[in-house]
Amino acid sequence: MKCGICPRGCAQRETGLCGVGMVPVVARAAPHFDEEPVISGTRGSGAVFFSGCPLGCVYCQNEALSFEHVGRPVRNLRAIYERLIAQGVHNINLVTAGHFLPAVVESLRPRLPVPVVWNSSGYESEAQIAALNGLVDVYLPDFKYLRSETAAALSHCPDYPQVARRALLAMHAQVGEAVFDEEGLMRRGLLVRHLILPGHAQESVEILGWIFENLPNAYVSVMAQYTPNARVAGTDMDRRISRAEYERVWRFIQAQGFENGFVQSRSSARREYTPAFDLTGVDGGL
């Protein structure tokens, strides 16, 4: 049966690029403290890490999910959310859940008592974003590439730039200007992430320029945590970003009068930031 959930439009879900079936596969569900401060807060974000991904970026730091499909099928996502909320998390953070959209939408009804964060690659159709209207409070997408050739080489996805631009515009139109609570946590809004890649500092500048021009008042998180993995060994991607590349992007941000968001230091490029996908918290939804 043809799958039309994500923009890939695979001919068969069973052999699709995400590598998983229709039942959500979850690898970890636990309080997470390594998101941006407006998401993690003091008690953590209730991060639910879904397995599988329609992109398959060669440098993926969560390759246990995107390539190895670590996790267990979960038929009661709601029970997982409720257990996390009972632990005191500030929000429910759905990490790479777009290819399980029908089950996820069902699990979010009725509305949860805490904000829902949609943490994604940015590669989503406008129809997917429309289906989340009224169910998601904070969009936390990546904006990875602005050039089709880069997207093709690194994620086998040449249409990523145009798809992601449309998705981000739809997210922004849906949730509007950011709203924060008395603790400084984002309760509604758009926070766009961009990871600086080695050899692509100029493209980072162009991406950030597009965001500043087209997503007024959106928050931005500029990340410098790129860490090469075995899949990029021997290629141009087999290194961390250089000081010159980091400073190229930093100078551009400063020139724009950047205020709404966060910029990681180069010292953040460490494997320790990748959580253990050890099925923590998953049993509650079986």
Side-chain angles (χ1 to χ4, degrees), residues 181-199:
D181 66 15
E182 62 280 359
E183 298 180 67
L185 295 164
M186 186 177 281
R187 295 195 62 86
R188 186 173 178 85
L190 172 64
L191 173 53
V192 184
R193 286 172 165 169
H194 173 66
L195 176 66
I196 307 169
L197 297 173

Side-chain angles (χ1 to χ4, degrees), residues 54-103:
L55 285 186
C57 304
V58 295
Y59 55 85
C60 182
Q61 293 178 316
N62 290 348
E63 55 191 327
L65 305 183
S66 55
F67 289 100
E68 299 169 19
H69 306 142
V70 168
R72 288 182 183 168
V74 170
R75 296 188 179 276
N76 190 350
L77 288 170
R78 187 81 179 194
I80 288 178
Y81 308 157
E82 290 171 350
R83 188 161 67 176
L84 286 169
I85 292 168
Q87 294 177 52
V89 298
H90 295 290
N91 48 59
I92 294 299
N93 181 355
L94 306 176
V95 185
T96 318
H99 47 295
F100 296 121
L101 187 69

Side-chain angles (χ1 to χ4, degrees), residues 15 29 53 55 58 82 88 102 109 143 145 189 208 212 219 227 230 273:
T15 57
C53 178
L55 285 186
V58 295
E82 290 171 350
R109 294 180 175 138
F143 191 11
Y145 318 110
L208 293 168
F212 297 150
Y219 275 65
T227 306
Y273 288 105

Side-chain angles (χ1 to χ4, degrees), residues 143-147 194-212 222-223 241 245 248-249 252-253:
F143 191 11
K144 297 177 182 291
Y145 318 110
L146 198 60
R147 302 177 185 176
H194 173 66
L195 176 66
I196 307 169
L197 297 173
H200 295 277
Q202 178 56 35
E203 187 166 359
S204 289
V205 166
E206 295 168 7
I207 286 169
L208 293 168
W210 185 91
I211 294 171
F212 297 150
V222 182
M223 302 186 296
I241 63 170
E245 289 168 332
R248 169 78 179 91
V249 177
F252 175 76
I253 291 170

Side-chain angles (χ1 to χ4, degrees), residues 1 9 18 33 105 114 119 132-133 135 152 173 178 180 183 207 218 241 247 260:
M1 180 177 68
C18 65
F33 296 89
V105 165
V114 298
N119 187 337
L132 297 167
N133 191 16
L135 301 175
F180 298 88
E183 298 180 67
I207 286 169
I241 63 170
E247 291 179 351
N260 292 352

Side-chain angles (χ1 to χ4, degrees), residues 12 30 54 72 112 121 125 138 151 182 188 207 252 260 277 283:
Q12 295 288 333
R72 288 182 183 168
L112 293 170
S121 69
S125 68
V138 176
E182 62 280 359
R188 186 173 178 85
I207 286 169
F252 175 76
N260 292 352
F277 300 121
D283 288 348

